[in-house]
Amino acid sequence: MRLLFILCFLFSLNAFSQEDIVAREYFKKGKFEKALISYQKLYSKNIKDRKYLSALVKTHQQLEQYKEAEALLLKYTTLVNYPPALIELGYNYKLQNDTLNANINYQKALHELELKPNYAGIIGRTFEDYSLLDQAIETYKKAMVAKPGLNYNMQLARIYGEQGNIEKMFNSYIEFSEINITYINTIKREFSSFISENKDNENNTILRKIILKKIQTDPDLKWNDLLSWLFIQQKDYKKAFTQEKAIYKRQMESLDRVEELANIAYTQKQPEVAKEIFQFIVDNTQDIDIKINGHYNLLQIETEQATKKDYKAINESYLTLLETFGKTGRTIDLQIAYGHFLAFYLDQTNEAVAFLKDSLKLELGNYQLAQIKLELGDILVLEEKFNEALIYYTQIQRSLKNSTISQEARFKVAKTSYYKGDFKWAESQLKILKASTSQLTANDALDLKLLIGDNKSEDSLQTALKLYAKADLFAFQNKKEESITLLNTILKDHKTEAIVAQTLLKQAQLFEEKEQFNKAKENYERIILEFKEGILVDDAIYALAEIFANKLEQPKKAKALYESIIFEHADSIYFVESRKKYRALRGDAIN
């Protein structure tokens, strides 16, 4: 008997569930008469069920049966004290253009807050559901006055955002964060939808003024943090640094935030700001490793900015630092950088090799040894001692299988083989790297594989490809003029071959490195004109846009090129950045 009861119960439950699904499907498909019958059956089984009452009311409204909907709601309000039902009743009157009765019922719902402010959440949400935003605002404000412990500023901010009232939205988010500091990153994400990289954007100005006012009236470091974040979005890293210094000097704790800012400034090509920040780190940290890393980064920037007359001073700086901090595992990055400097800047390859081989004798882990061997391999390639370089790269692959540095070493094996003209072996290594866990290595491998694959079959002697590989090697050896000259030979003697587009691109990149931007511009324009169906056209468009935006100060031309990427090359790897920069030039807020 008990089993029979359970079976009957489960059967009825399943039937009820099926009826619910049927009703929802009818409503979704616009078959409101059939939906009405189903929902009436479901509601009749429990007249206090909010879910089916709401569905039944909406179905009546779709059929313009407002009196029937009104009767249901009036009956429900006599059975249950549930303020959202009053809002639904008011909305039903609104659908009949009866604004008087609509407002009477809205006010009844709001009156409930005087007795029960905690109802604000559900009342406010119901007003929002019916797009009654002014009433929702009134709900949240009234509740916070009645019970100061409540905080509905997040809801208010969202509504103000929908209304386009940006200043009130920013203020509400700020007020919310005063009590809920853990939400600060959520609030930053919300802000990022309304601000731009342009510091003169109206929304940026509004937010900056609000935060500055907060800093003046409430010296809490979270406002400095928020202002620093805003300056970073605007790429104004010097001003962000001012805020980060204020935070550090008040807390005197970790310099991690300052170091992160320095790295951002460097990555975003603001080396002078990066230098200032790294110098601050060096001057203020008591941590030896952080100090060494600061010196390392300063020397990297100084080397990039240096002319030959500066090399002697840089060399002395390296030697002083190595003497101060010692030639140990702690300074391995500094040692590798010095080896690179000796070889690639001072042309002292023998000294560089001897110096790094000496570093290999230190008590080091496999990863640090691999880092040294990677640099040794590069120096040997610089000297065109390809076979010796291959030995070091291969040792890395064997000692740290499947690691990121091992994949990098395999790519260098492929690149070295390519420099030698051994395209078949290079391709075999590049095939393996297609599945590299390092996106950068995988992309580089794909580019080189396409270069070899597209051009090795052009002629049996592979003359143009060998010339290009030699020019590429010259570029690696920092022999830019020799590389440009050899690339000119390809453009002159191999006019009809597929390698021409790649040659123009490589040469343009070298022109940019030499700050010959008009020459680079000509090459990019030629690729766009003559190879518009080729795989390198989006590279050329984006590079040309960057020149117009950052070097030739012609933002209108840059904007048109970014737009071209967005609408004509949506599958390009430059799509996201192009859209962002296009919107910035147009003056939009950046998401």
Side-chain angles (χ1 to χ4, degrees), residues 519-564:
K519 286 186 177 182
K521 169 180 160 293
E522 289 171 13
N523 275 32
Y524 291 134
E525 287 173 338
R526 188 174 161 190
I527 294 169
I528 295 165
L529 183 66
E530 297 178 18
F531 302 92
K532 54 183 144 189
E533 301 302 324
I535 61 170
L536 299 177
V537 67
D538 60 322
D539 295 87
I541 294 169
Y542 185 79
L544 185 56
E546 290 287 281
I547 287 176
F548 280 130
N550 303 316
K551 303 300 178 183
L552 301 182
E553 296 182 359
Q554 296 184 45
K556 285 187 179 179
K557 289 185 177 181
K559 185 156 79 79
L561 289 162
Y562 290 133
E563 187 177 23
S564 170

Side-chain angles (χ1 to χ4, degrees), residues 320-439:
T320 300
L321 287 170
L322 289 168
E323 185 178 345
T324 302
F325 298 109
K327 196 175 178 185
T328 66
R330 179 172 255 174
T331 60
I332 208 67
D333 288 341
L334 207 57
Q335 292 172 54
I336 293 168
Y338 183 52
H340 185 86
F341 178 74
L342 285 172
F344 285 84
Y345 289 87
L346 297 183
D347 296 324
Q348 296 177 11
T349 51
N350 291 336
E351 290 85 344
V353 169
F355 178 81
L356 290 175
K357 280 185 176 179
D358 197 43
S359 297
L360 287 174
K361 297 172 186 175
L362 299 171
E363 289 291 327
L364 302 171
N366 283 342
Y367 185 79
Q368 287 180 310
L369 290 171
Q371 288 178 294
I372 298 168
K373 288 178 180 180
L374 206 62
E375 186 62 44
L376 273 167
D378 290 351
I379 294 167
L380 291 164
V381 170
L382 178 69
E383 293 186 286
E384 300 187 33
K385 294 178 179 178
F386 300 126
N387 292 334
E388 289 182 55
L390 288 169
I391 291 169
Y392 280 116
Y393 295 144
T394 305
Q395 285 176 357
I396 296 168
Q397 287 178 252
R398 288 174 181 166
S399 65
L400 292 165
K401 289 179 182 177
N402 301 319
S403 64
T404 302
I405 198 167
S406 170
Q407 291 166 355
E408 189 179 351
R410 187 181 292 277
F411 176 71
K412 287 181 181 289
V413 167
K415 197 77 184 267
T416 303
S417 302
Y418 151 79
Y419 288 146
K420 286 173 64 181
D422 188 351
F423 303 125
K424 188 174 180 181
W425 181 248
E427 273 194 300
S428 72
Q429 299 302 298
L430 295 167
K431 270 184 192 175
I432 299 168
L433 284 167
K434 278 199 300 184
S436 170
T437 53
S438 163
Q439 192 60 51

